[in-house]
Amino acid sequence: MQSTSSDLTRRHSSAPLITALSLFSALLLTSCSSAGIPRLPIATATNAPTYLPIQTYVAESDGGSFVVHPSVVDFGTTGWQAHRYWMAISTYPPNDNSREAPSIYYSDDGSAWTMPAGITNPIEVPDAHWISSDPELFLGPAGQLFCLWRDYNDDYGATKIDSERLYYKVSSDGLHWSDRTLFLSASGSSWHVFSPSAVYRDKQFNIWTTNGDNILQLRVGKSLTDLSDPTECTLNHSFAAYHNSVRYFGNRFVAVIQNRGVSELRFAESWDGIHWAIGASPLLGLGPSGHWDDLWMYRADFAPNGSGGFDLWYSARSSAYPTAFRFGRTTITLNPPLNIPPR
C-alpha cells in the first residue's frame, strides 16, 4: 500500500487531539481494508473423533490405508459427473514416502471415499529418483478438473542441490487424465514451491506456494505455463507458513494454513490474495494423547457446509504411526457465520 501527502490533509483545529487521532485511525483501517486485509470472523474447530477409512492402490498389508494432503472440491447438490465431492490425495505408508503420488476419489457425503470405476490410481507415477507430493484439485476453464502436484528429487549427491517440479493434468470426467505438463520448476539449496494451491477465477489462474523460508507466494497467469514471477504475500501476524489451502468464497480469498513446526492450523482471509489477515490463535491443534492426530498437523482443505461454516478435511500424524499420515473430517464454526446459501 502506497500513500502520498494528499491522502490526509493537515489543518489547524481547536478540536481535541483525540478526535484527530480517531479520524486518522478510521482512515488507516479503511486503507488497510482496501489493501486486502478483511476483518476476520472468529474461527474454531474441534478435532475429528477418528480418521476416515480409504482404500488406495497400495495393499492394506503394506499400509494402503495411510494417506496425506487431501484436496477436496465440493460441487454442491448438482454434483460433477454424478458425484458431489471430488478429491486428490496421496498414499503415504509408514516409512515409505516413495509411494506418494496423486490419486483421485469421489464421495457423495464427504466421508466415504471411493475410487471411480475404471480409473488407474495413482494418475501419475513419478520418474526414477523422484517423489510425488502435495496434490491439488480444482475446477478450471471449460468445466475441466485440474490436478496439480509437486515432484521433488533429493538424490542430489555431492552438488547438494534440491530440485522441484510442478506438473498438472486435466480431465473432463475424473477418469481419463491428460498427459502431464510441467509448468514450474526450481532448484537451490532449499525448497521453493511447497504445497501448491489454486483458484481459477476471472479467466486467471492464481497459484500459491510456500518456500523454505516459510513465506507464502502468489503467481498469476492466463495459463499455468505462463505464470508471473512470485509476489510475496504478507500476513498480519508472525507466522511460519507451510502447507496451505486457498479457496475463494463470499467475495474473498479464504485459507487454512499449517504453522510449520508448531503443529497447528490457522484460518486466514484476504481481498486480493496477497495481503492476509490470519487468526491470532489456532483454528485447530493436536488431538489428545493417543488420538489419531496427536503428533503433527499437516495440510487441510475446506468447503462451505451450508450452515454458516466450513467442512474441514485435514491430514495428521499420530504418535502410534510417527512416519505416516491419515486424514479426518470436522467442522469450522464461524462467528459471524459465512453468508453463503447452501449449494
Side-chain angles (χ1 to χ4, degrees), residues 117-129:
I119 199 171
T120 299
N121 274 334
I123 60 170
E124 180 69 23
V125 176
D127 298 334
H129 306 296

Side-chain angles (χ1 to χ4, degrees), residues 37-38 40 234-239 267-269 275-280:
I37 304 178
L40 275 179
T234 61
L235 289 73
N236 66 337
H237 289 292
S238 178
F239 188 81
F267 185 79
E269 291 186 353
H275 306 86
W276 288 89
I278 190 163

Side-chain angles (χ1 to χ4, degrees), residues 74-86 108 139 342-343:
D74 178 3
F75 289 94
T77 55
T78 57
W80 186 84
Q81 299 298 312
H83 301 290
R84 174 164 183 167
Y85 302 93
W86 287 78
D108 295 317
L139 192 66
R343 300 180 62 192

Side-chain angles (χ1 to χ4, degrees), residues 42-125:
I42 298 172
T44 57
T46 58
N47 297 78
T50 187
Y51 57 86
L52 296 176
I54 193 167
Q55 179 57 56
T56 71
Y57 75 96
V58 178
E60 181 72 23
S61 59
D62 290 335
S65 62
F66 291 90
V67 288
V68 67
H69 208 282
S71 177
V72 178
V73 181
D74 178 3
F75 289 94
T77 55
T78 57
W80 186 84
Q81 299 298 312
H83 301 290
R84 174 164 183 167
Y85 302 93
W86 287 78
M87 176 177 70
I89 202 165
S90 288
T91 301
Y92 200 118
N95 296 308
D96 191 5
N97 63 350
S98 69
R99 300 291 187 98
E100 279 194 271
S103 297
I104 304 298
Y105 294 81
Y106 72 78
S107 176
D108 295 317
D109 64 2
S111 294
W113 294 92
T114 304
M115 282 190 283
I119 199 171
T120 299
N121 274 334
I123 60 170
E124 180 69 23
V125 176

